[in-house]
Structure formats: C-alpha cells, structure tokens
Amino acid sequence: MIKINTKKYEIEEEIEVVDENGVTLDKFTMQITPEELKEIEKIILNEEGIKLTKELEKLEKKNASEEEIEKKQKEYLELIEKCQQRFEEIIFKDRLESFKENVGEYYFEETISCAFDFFWNTFISKRMKRVDTMRSDLMKITRK
C-alpha cells in the first residue's frame, strides 16, 4: 500500500541572519505549502526559460536581426525577474520588506541564494533518487 501524509506546510525552516557579534539581525520561519512548493519547483527548473534560451540560440544561429534578438533577450530577462520576485514573495511572504530593511541588501541577496540552493538540492536529489532507483532495478534485472 502507498500512503501519503498531507501537511499544511511541506517545509518549515527557520531563517536567521546573525552579525559578527552574534546579534540576530532578523529571524523568521519560512513556511511553504504544497502548492507553493510546486510553484518553486517550476521556478527553479524553469522550463519556460529553457525554451526561451533555445529560441534565442536559434535566432543567433540564423543571423536574425539585432532587434529580434534584443526582443527575445528582453522577454527572457522579464521572465527571470518575474520568477525572482515570485520566489522572494513565497519565501518571505509578508516579511519581505522588513527583512530587507533589517539585514541590508547584500545579506538579503545571500539569504535568497541560500534558499534557492536549498530548493535546488531538494528537487535535484528527488529526481536523482528516482533515476538511481531505476538504474539499480535495471542492474538487478540484467544480472539474472
């Protein structure tokens, strides 16, 4: 039997920024619902961005006009910016502006990078686990 337990929050992680003297600049608990987790996965794996990149490569290979290339680049950059903003909204929710003010721009960006890496590793590990399972099953079958 396959049993799946549902939760209000799939991920609850504490995020804390501490200065060199050990003083906490800001601290909150990141709470990610299953729907938000799915949205983060789409943002990180960014299939739409990959599609736009391929279209841009095709335009460059066929020596398209500078205008066409710039238009596609602008479209790509807008997508990336939109994804970045949405990612920040999901992670920080109503704490976004206060967190930025409390820790400063540099440490805000560092926190975003750490959160992105956290989710990247989560999704890649999950996919690799499936691949490893399929590979080990194939090895068992072929040994018989």
Side-chain angles (χ1 to χ4, degrees):
M1 173 172 80
I2 296 175
K3 182 177 181 180
I4 298 173
N5 295 320
T6 63
K7 304 179 224 173
K8 182 176 181 178
Y9 297 111
E10 280 298 309
I11 295 176
E12 289 188 271
E13 284 290 325
E14 196 155 294
I15 294 178
E16 180 177 23
V17 178
V18 180
D19 73 7
E20 60 196 18
N21 299 319
V23 176
T24 299
L25 300 176
D26 205 339
K27 178 179 175 178
F28 74 98
T29 302
M30 172 179 67
Q31 296 177 314
I32 308 297
T33 65
E35 294 78 19
E36 290 170 333
L37 189 60
K38 190 70 181 160
E39 193 173 349
I40 289 173
E41 184 175 21
K42 285 182 181 178
I43 289 170
I44 288 179
L45 300 178
N46 202 349
E47 291 176 11
E48 189 177 342
I50 292 169
K51 180 183 162 197
L52 284 172
T53 303
K54 288 179 182 179
E55 290 173 12
L56 187 58
E57 286 175 356
K58 285 179 186 176
L59 287 174
E60 289 172 347
K61 282 182 184 176
K62 73 175 192 176
N63 295 324
S65 71
E66 194 68 32
E67 192 177 292
E68 284 181 287
I69 292 173
E70 283 180 17
K71 182 181 176 188
K72 192 58 70 177
Q73 287 173 335
K74 184 179 178 185
E75 188 180 337
Y76 178 75
L77 291 174
E78 287 171 355
L79 173 68
I80 296 301
E81 187 175 321
K82 183 178 118 188
C83 288
Q84 173 80 16
Q85 288 173 347
R86 183 62 187 138
F87 184 74
E88 291 171 4
E89 290 168 2
I90 293 170
I91 299 301
F92 293 99
K93 296 187 179 35
D94 60 343
R95 301 270 321 197
L96 182 62
E97 291 306 316
S98 67
F99 188 85
K100 257 188 207 183
E101 286 177 23
N102 293 340
V103 303
E105 192 67 32
Y106 177 80
Y107 292 107
F108 172 74
E109 294 295 330
E110 282 292 307
T111 305
I112 290 294
S113 292
C114 288
F116 189 90
D117 291 347
F118 170 82
F119 286 107
W120 172 263
N121 290 333
T122 300
F123 297 130
I124 296 303
S125 296
K126 193 165 126 181
R127 287 182 178 221
M128 289 306 297
K129 187 176 177 183
R130 286 185 210 143
V131 170
D132 285 344
T133 301
M134 290 177 356
R135 188 177 76 89
S136 63
D137 288 347
L138 281 173
M139 289 174 66
K140 287 177 190 174
I141 293 169
T142 56
R143 283 189 194 148
K144 291 182 180 181

